[in-house]
Amino acid sequence: MITYYRFRQNNKLTHSKDYFTHSLFYNLLYDATFVVNMTIMKKQTFTLLCCLLLSFYSFAQQHKYQTFEEKAFEKALYFTFEGNTHIALHHFKQFAIDYPNSELMPKVTFNTAVILHDLNHIEEAIPLFRKVLYTEYDYEAINEAENEELQKEYIVCKNKSAMHLAEIYLDKRDFDKAATYIYLFDQKHKFQHFCGDGHVSHDMYTAKMYARLYAGQQKHDKAIAELIPFLFEDSSEEQNDVLKLLNQLLTTNYTMVELHAAAETTLNSIKIKKEEIILYFLNKRIKLNKKDIGTENYIEFLGKNPLLKKYLSQSATQV
């Protein structure tokens, strides 16, 4: 997972129209970048795509009030967009030296940590993510007109820092620390979305993180239970990751004959309500909205699910 953020360019907003423009763009950009972030896990691909969005914002917001520190921040992001990651890292680090008291520092620290994580400089990235996560920012010292917006931006940095740290410690198989950071991004510094379906991708991502945690703790039933509710979500990279992990857990803990029986039971468990369809897989309740299915042939829709299709077809030759 990789996230580069380009936030508001200007420290002072002189017109209410400017504030609305900044606020609206930030809300839309955050949702767009989160959905991409949750669905495209190839680091370099997301880096370029996200920075492309950010560069559009840069062109739209340039004007004579831009400060030297904002130009320095923009320069670091430019090199990120160009794919010159090491040069971008140099400029972010130089920014921290030149403007240590800047309001942009939380974002600079976060971006620096993300680049280091992307470059696999894990031990150097960890203290920077922790610095963003555990620093208490003085929102009252910020200009009143910008207080609410900057607070949102800092919350985003804290949320994403906890996500990165959770992934780092899951990879390290340090499950106690991973559990701490999963709790922080899921409960304390919660994901905020303003429009679109960002919450769906976030929910799948969160379930996958809990499943990885429980699997590492040898709590396989809990891990599987986290993922089953997303068995029939719309196809996406994030759902593909969920299905891949779920299949790995299922085939490790059940025989193919058992999975064949579970798949058949699922197809026979459908209960149709006014707006919903209720079904069960391995005794775990799944709720689907009729409007999301797009067909009244529910058996056909469910039968196209890659996991159910696999378990039904493969096990038929083994029974």
Side-chain angles (χ1 to χ4, degrees):
M1 184 178 69
I2 189 80
T3 314
Y4 292 99
Y5 282 100
R6 173 69 171 87
F7 293 96
R8 160 195 287 118
Q9 285 274 350
N10 310 296
N11 286 333
K12 294 184 179 180
L13 301 178
T14 57
H15 301 92
S16 59
K17 181 179 179 181
D18 291 334
Y19 183 76
F20 175 77
T21 301
H22 281 290
S23 178
L24 178 61
F25 186 89
Y26 168 76
N27 293 350
L28 293 175
L29 175 62
Y30 174 58
D31 273 359
T33 53
F34 185 84
V35 172
V36 174
N37 191 22
M38 293 296 98
T39 58
I40 303 178
M41 301 304 288
K42 298 295 184 181
K43 293 184 177 181
Q44 296 302 326
T45 302
F46 177 76
T47 299
L48 293 176
L49 185 58
C50 187
C51 287
L52 178 61
L53 291 173
L54 299 172
S55 69
F56 291 156
Y57 180 54
S58 171
F59 284 118
Q61 297 299 322
Q62 295 292 339
H63 59 62
K64 63 182 180 181
Y65 296 113
Q66 191 178 40
T67 65
F68 285 113
E69 63 188 73
E70 290 165 346
K71 290 179 181 178
F73 186 63
E74 180 76 16
K75 188 175 184 179
L77 285 171
Y78 168 78
F79 285 113
T80 304
F81 168 66
E82 290 293 308
N84 296 319
T85 311
H86 289 87
I87 298 177
L89 179 62
H90 166 77
H91 282 285
F92 279 125
K93 288 184 174 181
Q94 189 62 47
F95 185 103
I97 295 171
D98 294 340
Y99 307 103
N101 299 318
S102 171
E103 291 175 356
L104 295 171
M105 272 306 300
K107 291 164 273 187
V108 169
T109 304
F110 174 73
N111 284 353
T112 303
V114 169
I115 294 175
L116 290 168
H117 191 189
D118 193 22
L119 294 173
N120 205 33
H121 297 173
I122 304 301
E123 300 308 318
E124 194 176 350
I126 288 173
L128 295 181
F129 283 130
R130 285 177 53 82
K131 182 177 180 180
V132 174
L133 186 59
Y134 291 113
T135 298
E136 296 298 330
Y137 302 110
D138 186 4
Y139 301 123
E140 297 302 323
I142 302 172
N143 180 280
E144 183 178 353
E146 298 214 25
N147 183 59
E148 182 178 353
E149 198 70 12
L150 280 176
Q151 185 170 354
K152 289 179 182 178
E153 294 169 4
Y154 293 166
I155 290 172
V156 169
C157 288
K158 286 177 178 287
N159 173 266
K160 297 293 186 181
S161 292
M163 285 182 174
H164 278 272
L165 288 165
E167 290 192 357
I168 286 171
Y169 284 110
L170 283 173
D171 290 342
K172 285 175 169 285
R173 300 189 64 80
D174 187 337
F175 299 115
D176 289 340
K177 287 183 179 178
T180 296
Y181 292 117
I182 291 174
Y183 166 80
L184 287 176
F185 83 70
D186 184 38
Q187 298 296 324
K188 185 174 182 180
H189 304 295
K190 292 185 177 182
F191 164 66
Q192 297 185 5
H193 78 283
F194 305 96
C195 64
D197 295 328
H199 64 284
V200 177
S201 294
H202 178 267
D203 289 346
M204 282 194 286
Y205 173 81
T206 303
K208 185 176 67 175
M209 295 294 279
Y210 275 113
R212 289 184 62 191
L213 173 65
Y214 294 144
Q217 296 171 331
Q218 302 302 309
K219 301 174 182 178
H220 298 295
D221 288 343
K222 291 186 69 174
I224 291 169
E226 286 286 338
L227 299 176
I228 285 177
F230 302 100
L231 183 58
F232 298 102
E233 286 292 338
D234 291 339
S235 179
S236 65
E237 285 296 322
E238 186 63 33
Q239 196 228 12
N240 289 340
D241 287 343
V242 167
L243 293 183
K244 182 178 179 180
L245 179 57
L246 179 58
N247 180 61
Q248 179 183 340
L249 290 166
L250 290 173
T251 54
T252 300
N253 292 276
Y254 293 89
T255 67
M256 194 57 70
V257 172
E258 291 172 324
L259 293 175
H260 175 79
E264 285 191 329
T265 301
T266 298
L267 295 180
N268 295 324
S269 69
I270 298 175
K271 296 181 180 179
I272 302 174
K273 297 188 176 182
K274 186 175 182 180
E275 301 293 337
E276 299 175 342
I277 297 174
I278 307 298
L279 61 153
Y280 294 84
F281 181 72
L282 293 175
N283 298 318
K284 180 69 175 179
R285 185 173 182 267
I286 303 172
K287 182 174 69 174
L288 303 174
N289 291 323
K290 284 185 178 180
K291 63 180 181 179
D292 295 333
I293 295 179
T295 177
E296 293 186 0
N297 191 339
Y298 304 124
I299 297 294
E300 180 182 354
F301 170 81
L302 298 174
K304 291 180 179 179
N305 179 271
L307 288 195
L308 292 191
K309 188 175 181 179
K310 173 184 176 180
Y311 300 150
L312 288 170
S313 62
Q314 288 189 0
S315 61
T317 63
Q318 300 179 28
V319 175

